[in-house]
Amino acid sequence: MNQPLTTQAPSVAQPFREEAADGFSLGGFTWRHGAADPTRAVVIINAATSVRCRFYSRFADYLFAHGADVITYDYRGIGESRPAALRGFQASWSDWGRLDFEAMLQRARREFPGQPIDVVGHSFGGCALGLAASAASIRRVVTVGAQFAYWRDYAPGSRWQLLCKWHLAMPLLTRVFGYFPGKRLGWMEDTPAGVVRDWVTPAATYEQRPSGRTLGALGFGQVQASILAISLTDDPFGTVPAIERLLGYFTASACTHLRIAAQQVDAKGVGHFAFFHSRFQAQLWPIALGWLRSAQLPAQVPGQVIEPQA
């Protein structure tokens, strides 16, 4: 499985701090063209679980160069939003959506008044957008490999390896350290224990995850954005059942699932992470850009549109 690459600090972006509704201070970066313009979109990038927002800086540069304002940020416990200590730190997947992503929606509305709000969600970042109270304000969405890690949806050829790594080793190490020490293992960023509990729970629905059970009614149905879900055939997490399982929650949205094979973009592999590597700027990034601009796929798009499962 491809892993995130380390990226440098954004070159043209400005750092910011934003308080969530519970007072927690979140860190991120803004790419801003100037005065608010109702013809220009602001794009919020929701990261994958325990991937730093800096990983998406080159993709944000690309969107900025093509006319969008961009916001990237780290969920609480990660990167720019990491507290002094993670042992005992309280954070969950639902906190990342209902508090942290909601804070970014509020920031976008305040800092870019009148501009349409679009979202790019990677992995769990696509799930987070359905947990925010203001999600009805989103115009268009592109997700990449977006799902919430139900183990039976993992690719059959990788399922047992992923189970051992993420559903056995990760919770055991989390119990020992009080958080998951992913950074020292080279797997991902260090991760709060509550997020680990949500990830490893073997439940087929989000509302059966530990933090999902405390939410009451989920807010996915309020999202009315046009959604393009991109998946890659060599992504062991983003299988067709996994992508469709999440899309099934967005009952008020028009959803298109585009599935792409690496060979269709002249690559040996793309996997779960490499869509956001700059080597795919020419082949893959224009697909996302085009959807954010028009909610349409280009005529010569690689891949196959997957019809919704019955």
Side-chain angles (χ1 to χ4, degrees):
M1 181 176 63
N2 293 322
Q3 298 292 338
L5 295 180
T6 300
T7 58
Q8 297 179 350
S11 55
V12 299
Q14 295 298 314
F16 68 81
R17 306 300 303 182
E18 179 76 21
E19 280 195 5
D22 64 345
F24 188 85
S25 178
L26 302 164
F29 299 92
T30 301
W31 284 250
R32 184 192 299 271
H33 283 278
D37 182 347
T39 67
R40 184 174 66 240
V42 53
V43 182
I44 302 172
I45 299 179
N46 282 353
T49 296
S50 302
V51 175
R52 294 190 69 168
C53 69
R54 291 170 183 261
F55 172 65
Y56 305 94
S57 294
R58 292 188 178 93
F59 183 69
D61 281 337
Y62 172 83
L63 295 178
F64 179 75
H66 286 82
D69 296 316
V70 187
I71 295 172
T72 67
Y73 69 103
D74 281 314
Y75 306 120
R76 62 187 61 204
I78 308 298
E80 311 299 320
S81 304
R82 178 171 176 150
L86 279 180
R87 180 183 289 272
F89 178 70
Q90 299 300 310
S92 68
W93 265 351
S94 295
D95 292 334
W96 285 1
R98 70 180 182 88
L99 292 171
D100 301 351
F101 175 50
E102 174 64 21
M104 296 305 120
L105 287 173
Q106 296 293 340
R107 180 178 181 84
R109 294 167 70 178
R110 184 183 70 247
E111 297 291 319
F112 302 92
Q115 293 184 213
I117 299 173
D118 297 337
V119 177
V120 174
H122 181 205
S123 195
F124 172 76
C127 184
L129 70 93
L131 301 173
S134 300
S137 64
I138 302 169
R139 181 185 65 165
R140 294 174 188 143
V141 171
V142 173
T143 66
V144 178
Q147 35 66 50
F148 52 87
Y150 177 46
W151 71 274
R152 290 186 183 274
D153 290 340
Y154 294 160
S158 305
R159 185 173 298 156
W160 297 110
Q161 177 186 356
L162 294 177
L163 276 169
C164 290
K165 182 175 182 177
W166 300 116
H167 296 260
L168 180 60
M170 182 165 64
L172 287 175
L173 288 169
T174 300
R175 182 172 297 181
V176 171
F177 288 91
Y179 65 94
F180 178 60
K183 193 168 185 177
R184 71 185 69 183
L185 296 172
W187 291 5
M188 57 183 189
E189 293 296 307
D190 296 342
T191 306
V195 171
V196 172
R197 285 193 293 272
D198 280 331
W199 183 340
V200 303
T201 298
T205 62
Y206 188 81
E207 53 267 36
Q208 291 176 304
R209 303 299 170 104
S211 71
R213 291 195 292 266
T214 67
L215 286 177
L218 301 182
F220 291 89
Q222 70 177 316
V223 180
Q224 301 178 48
S226 300
I227 299 176
L228 172 64
I230 298 173
S231 66
L232 288 306
T233 59
D234 64 333
D235 177 358
F237 293 104
T239 61
V240 171
I243 303 299
E244 294 293 325
R245 187 179 301 279
L246 177 58
L247 289 180
Y249 280 90
F250 295 101
T251 55
S253 295
C255 300
T256 300
H257 179 183
L258 177 65
R259 190 154 180 82
I260 303 172
Q263 57 266 30
Q264 293 173 305
V265 290
D266 300 320
K268 293 182 179 179
V270 182
H272 193 58
F273 294 103
F275 179 97
F276 295 98
H277 294 179
S278 56
R279 69 177 181 271
F280 290 113
Q281 177 172 330
Q283 301 106 314
L284 293 176
W285 292 4
I287 301 171
L289 177 66
W291 187 269
L292 295 176
R293 284 177 166 175
S294 66
Q296 294 182 346
L297 291 173
Q300 302 302 318
V301 66
Q304 174 188 5
V305 173
I306 302 296
E307 296 300 324
Q309 296 179 340

